[in-house]
Every structure is written in structure tokens, then in C-alpha cells.
Amino acid sequence: MASIEEILAVERIDNDIYRGGSFPSQLRRTFGGQVAGQALVSATRTVDREYAVHSLHGYFLRPGKPDKPAVFMVDRIRDGRSFVTRRVTGVQDGEAIFSMSASFHITDDHGPDHQDAMPKVPDPDSLPDRRDTATESQKMLLAEWANFDIRIVDQSETARMPGLAAQQRVWFKYKNSLPDDHLLHVCTLAYMSDMTLLGSSMTVHPDARTQNASLDHAMWFLRPFRTDDWLLYDQTSPSAGGGRALTQGRIFDRSGRLVAAVTQEGLTRSVDSDSAASIMRQAQ
């Protein structure tokens, strides 16, 4: 398993053009968090360090090929005094696989400040390692994330919020220590934010067999954080239908600070048993 520093180390090949590395994978398509993370790093390479990324909005247009690098082309949409905007297109074999807009801001400490409270959950150290309880198909995906510690709160221990259709809570962190570079932690969280989120839509359909893929992904970075410390991913799925599911996530640090928010829509197309087995064979 490549380190997150290796995954995010995009190579400059020309002005505003970057290339992300390809890494051994058991998946039949490139993990969406990898594409989003590499695209965000490419955008940050064209922005002065005084500007911090505060949001991204991305669309997964085609499945990426894990055995091939992707090229990221950055368009400098706007350079303002307080805000900078970049558009990034990820390309493989001459076709766009990902499109993202990212906005950067010089943080202003003046203004109102409030946040939601972190829900009450078991301590992450009291929860079993996900790899000890995963199914064979889940173990395949977790093998892709061997450098991450992922602890899913059991549904029986999830405090139910009235009126919410589907809920899931996940503790996660990067296992190894990372440098004190906030930009690295931001791009790492962009990678991590695609983990487990679509799965929240299936917590109320445990026996459903579906073909799943991220379709679009939006993220807001609210406060400083570290991805090598525990983060709580409080996930909900307010709606599913028409072969798609909408999911949302709030990310808290261990002290209860709300550090990021995520919204994603994903494909959740029903498949029969034979189709599900075929999809698994292709993935392997």
C-alpha cells in the first residue's frame, strides 16, 4: 500500500498540468478519493500558500483505470484579493474522468462563530478493528486502505436522530504520523472523505445487492485538523431512489470541533445475485 504522501505527490509536467501516480489496486476502477485528492493537490500547486482551500465540488465523469496515471489540467478561473478559484479536469486516454472546482480563501478571523455539537459515540479505541469483522468483499476494499484505521460504530450503539432516514458513524484516521503541513492534511481528508460515505445509504437496506459508485462530491473545510488523529464521520442519507442515493457527512475532531462537511450522491443501482457475483469477479 502506497503512503498518502506518495499518492498525493503529483508531478508537474508543464504549466498548470500535473500527473498523478498509479498504484497497485484490486479495484476495477480508481478509488474516487484518490482522484479527488490528486486533483486538489494539483489545484493547490497554482495558488499562493496564504490562500487556504475552503471548498471543492467534483463530478466523477468516467471510471478511472487504476493501472494508469491521470493527468490533471488546471484552469485559473479567478485570482482575487480574498478568494481564488480553480477548475481541474482529470484525464485518462484523452477522456475526462473527473471535473472539480476548488475555492481558496484568506481566512478572516472576524465574524460570527458557531457549530453543531458532536453526537455522543463510543470512544474509537473501544471499537473493534473493521478488518476483524468485515465480509470478504469488504476486506478487499479495506485492503486498499491498509494505512487507515477505520472503526464503524455499530447501529445498535448509534443514537438515532428522529426523522432521519439512514444514519452511520465512523471513526477514522491515518495510521502513521504526518508532517505539520495543513495543506497535506486537507488533501488527505479529501481522499478520506470518499471512504464509507455511500455505505451510509445502505444501513437501512442491509440485504440489498447494488452496484455502487460515487457520482459527485462536495466538501467544505471549516476548521484546522489533523488526519493522523481520530476524526468522527457523522453520516446520514436523507434520500435514495431512482438508482441513486444522497449522502451527507459532518466530520468532527476528537475534541468535538466541526472541521469539515461533505455531501455526495452515488449510484446505488439494484442488481440480481448473478450480476452482483459478476461485479465482484470483475473487481477482483
Side-chain angles (χ1 to χ4, degrees), residues 27-39:
L27 303 179
R28 63 191 181 103
R29 64 180 70 200
T30 307
F31 172 55
Q34 175 179 315
V35 179
Q38 291 179 343

Side-chain angles (χ1 to χ4, degrees), residues 26-27 134-143 276 280 283-284:
Q26 299 180 69
L27 303 179
T135 64
E136 288 305 313
S137 61
Q138 290 170 336
K139 287 179 180 179
M140 181 187 69
L141 184 58
L142 290 171
M280 284 306 304
Q284 294 170 347

